[in-house]
Amino acid sequence: MSAVSMQVDTPAAQQGQRVIEGYAMGKTLGAGIQGKVKLGVNLQTGQRVALKCMDKNKMGRDRTRQMEMLEREIQAMESLQHPNILNLQHVTMSAQYPRKGTKGTKDVVLLALELAEGGELFDYLMHTGAFGDDIARTYFRQMLSALELCHNNGIYHRDLKPENLLLDANFQLKLADFGLAAVNLEMDTLCHTCVGTKSYMAPEVMARQGYDGAKADLWSAGVVLFIMLAGCPPFQQAAPGDWWYNAVRSNRHDKFWMAHLRSAPDFPKLAQEFLNLIFVADSSQRASIDDLWNHQWMQGRVLQEAELTEVMQEKNREVEARKEAELARAREIGRAHV
Ligand code: AMP
């Protein structure tokens, strides 16, 4: 049955609800460069999902690149099944997206993704500040476990950052957004493309050298861990003009920490030692995933699911309140300018 006929036939559609590929469409969850993400409900199972809809006609001149990104994302997500990697449940390369009212449909690529009810890790760091050692370790271990599977499958994420780390309803971490990933490289092949987000990029990626995708991902994971513990980033960018990076590059981690401890005095000592193994300019000397698993800091306390849910729920209330206040302020400013 086509999406259009489903729109007419299903009880959901009869009640005026928009339906796409068997999913009733709900509120907008967010928007990215590839298009809107909507809440969806599978009409057969009742399961809630995130519907990522990419308008093919809006891809413009960049269409080839965007389709490439999308294919990479699909290929990566289809080959990775892990409790800490966002699950791709359904793909339709050409779906009819019902516009509001009677304005017909538009042609989209549709991805139905596991719903991350807890939102982005970014929002928690932004609105509630740094995490304690135990929460940071719990999330770092989940992230490393997800990365290990990626790397064992020849997939390098290349854009690790708190915006791409989503949380499910129980606040378990889900690695998302594989649009910039390098897929199916032979294990010993180097990556050559300078992609990612500058403040998270490893120095060898910034320098546009051929690089080991696994070691580059670990650098970015280290930046995420630093932010979880300090509430601010470790470098502006890992390039020679950056004071913080220069300290690390010249093996003066003592200077790097002395300066950071002024604004983050509680940064745990063992976590500093752990990060010194990741913030190593020469990627061949940087710790491997195995080295990280075996480090003493990683053996510390980890929160079990129920405990993590409880503490994060509390933070979630604060995030929601702050976002709501921001929205109200923006509306206020909007009204003042009318
Ligand atoms: P993206 O295009 O992947 O960057 O997604 C844009 C926004 O949609 C994100 O910032 C999230 O707020 C939201 N979003 C994306 N994927 C999901 C998901 N699986 N569950 C819930 N919200 C999502």
Side-chain angles (χ1 to χ4, degrees):
M1 183 166 33
S2 79
V4 180
S5 60
M6 268 193 287
Q7 231 179 295
V8 175
D9 292 337
T10 61
Q14 282 161 11
Q15 285 164 19
Q17 211 167 12
R18 287 186 289 163
V19 174
I20 184 166
E21 294 292 317
Y23 296 94
M25 286 164 59
K27 65 174 183 181
T28 300
L29 297 170
I33 43 168
Q34 292 169 310
K36 271 191 188 167
V37 179
K38 294 245 174 206
L39 179 66
V41 179
N42 183 318
L43 289 172
Q44 270 179 355
T45 63
Q47 191 186 25
R48 285 149 58 89
V49 295
L51 297 171
K52 201 166 174 173
C53 313
M54 285 143 286
D55 188 341
K56 287 195 189 167
N57 293 317
K58 281 209 180 136
M59 289 182 180
R61 273 189 291 134
D62 222 12
R63 186 186 172 112
T64 315
R65 201 177 89 85
Q66 285 198 37
M67 285 307 280
E68 263 172 32
M69 274 175 75
L70 199 62
E71 275 157 23
R72 233 184 342 235
E73 186 167 7
I74 293 167
Q75 195 187 346
M77 292 184 92
E78 277 182 339
S79 57
L80 298 168
Q81 305 296 322
H82 186 280
N84 300 115
I85 297 179
L86 198 72
N87 186 241
L88 174 62
Q89 303 189 344
H90 171 90
V91 181
T92 307
M93 293 310 284
S94 191
Q96 295 309 304
Y97 179 102
R99 295 175 196 268
K100 274 196 182 131
T102 51
K103 292 189 197 139
T105 61
K106 60 183 176 186
D107 192 17
V108 298
V109 179
L110 177 79
L111 307 189
L113 298 159
E114 177 182 3
L115 183 62
E117 310 240 17
E120 297 174 11
L121 194 68
F122 176 86
D123 283 332
Y124 295 81
L125 294 166
M126 165 98 175
H127 295 296
T128 71
F131 294 160
D133 205 34
D134 298 351
I135 302 183
R137 181 182 302 105
T138 306
Y139 282 137
F140 188 83
R141 288 182 68 100
Q142 294 185 359
M143 177 166 58
L144 204 62
S145 172
L147 277 181
E148 192 166 31
L149 182 75
C150 296
H151 295 173
N152 287 342
N153 282 280
I155 295 173
Y156 306 99
H157 187 281
R158 304 199 299 181
D159 198 18
L160 269 184
K161 54 182 175 181
E163 293 90 323
N164 290 337
L165 297 168
L166 305 181
L167 302 178
D168 71 8
N170 295 326
F171 301 95
Q172 304 298 298
L173 181 137
K174 303 280 170 177
L175 177 56
D177 230 333
F178 283 79
L180 295 179
V183 177
N184 281 348
L185 290 173
E186 292 296 320
M187 287 305 178
D188 288 330
T189 318
L190 290 180
C191 299
H192 289 276
T193 324
C194 176
V195 295
T197 305
K198 278 205 172 130
S199 52
Y200 295 87
M201 272 184 201
E204 64 276 16
V205 183
M206 292 291 294
R208 297 173 179 269
Q209 297 159 355
Y211 61 92
D212 171 342
K215 291 291 181 75
D217 274 350
L218 292 187
W219 177 282
S220 308
V223 175
V224 172
L225 173 60
F226 184 100
I227 297 174
M228 286 199 278
L229 287 166
C232 64
F235 315 100
Q236 274 181 351
Q237 40 181 281
D242 188 278
W243 185 91
W244 311 93
Y245 172 64
N246 283 341
V248 159
R249 191 171 59 144
S250 52
N251 281 326
R252 293 298 310 270
H253 290 84
D254 56 327
K255 266 173 63 181
F256 170 86
W257 287 111
M258 211 148 60
H260 272 306
L261 287 172
R262 279 190 225 124
S263 54
D266 299 329
F267 206 107
K269 187 79 186 85
L270 207 49
Q272 293 175 34
E273 287 172 21
F274 181 70
L275 279 166
N276 287 347
L277 301 178
I278 299 180
F279 295 152
V280 174
D282 176 356
S283 67
S284 69
Q285 302 297 314
R286 195 173 302 148
S288 65
I289 287 198
D290 284 343
D291 298 331
L292 297 183
W293 280 127
N294 292 327
H295 191 271
Q296 199 190 341
W297 181 77
M298 290 284 269
Q299 316 315 319
R301 198 168 103 83
V302 169
L303 299 191
Q304 295 310 307
E305 187 160 329
E307 229 178 333
L308 188 62
T309 306
E310 199 181 319
V311 283
M312 292 303 287
Q313 227 151 26
E314 184 65 36
K315 288 183 186 290
N316 180 267
R317 281 190 275 276
E318 201 177 326
V319 168
E320 291 306 320
R322 284 182 187 254
K323 278 168 116 178
E324 192 48 49
E326 264 175 18
L327 255 173
R329 229 180 355 255
R331 276 193 220 108
E332 199 59 37
I333 293 169
R335 266 199 295 274
H337 285 278
V338 173

